[in-house]
Amino acid sequence: MIALKIEVLGPGCAKCFALENNVKQAVQQLGLDAEVEHVTNMQDMLKRLRQYRAMVTPVLVVNGKVLSQGKVPSVPELVQMLTTYLATQVERAGS
């Protein structure tokens, strides 16, 4: 199983908390062992936004890869995103 570090970057608005909640539900549905961190500290958030070259919050980052920004994907959409992400990681590990 691939270890997942999931970051939600956002200033603490309703959309950011909705994304965090949806991510946690998707992780639970998939039975994943993942660390979910919601970064709301402005300095930390701005540093990471620059690092990931993201422009619009909320931002969803999985193991350093931006999967979504500027929107709140539904739980089913997040399940699909995470499943696709994990499949690509398994393919890379097998290569």
Side-chain angles (χ1 to χ4, degrees):
M1 177 69 64
I2 297 170
L4 293 180
K5 179 177 182 187
I6 301 173
E7 300 168 88
V8 174
L9 308 178
C13 65
K15 286 184 177 183
C16 300
F17 284 111
L19 177 57
E20 178 185 18
N21 184 51
N22 288 358
V23 165
K24 287 179 178 179
Q25 287 183 50
V27 165
Q28 184 178 16
Q29 280 186 22
L30 291 169
L32 300 175
D33 183 21
E35 172 191 345
V36 179
E37 178 185 11
H38 186 170
V39 180
T40 58
N41 176 283
M42 193 59 73
Q43 287 182 328
D44 289 342
M45 185 186 67
L46 291 173
K47 179 182 174 185
R48 292 182 197 195
L49 288 173
R50 283 191 298 272
Q51 175 186 348
Y52 298 127
R53 299 178 186 209
M55 301 295 290
V56 184
T57 62
V59 179
L60 173 64
V61 181
V62 178
N63 289 359
K65 179 179 170 85
V66 175
L67 295 188
S68 172
Q69 63 178 308
K71 59 184 175 181
V72 180
S74 67
V75 174
E77 289 172 322
L78 288 165
V79 166
Q80 183 59 48
M81 283 181 192
L82 292 171
T83 301
T84 300
Y85 173 80
L86 289 169
T88 61
Q89 298 308 300
V90 168
E91 286 175 11
R92 285 185 187 164
S95 297

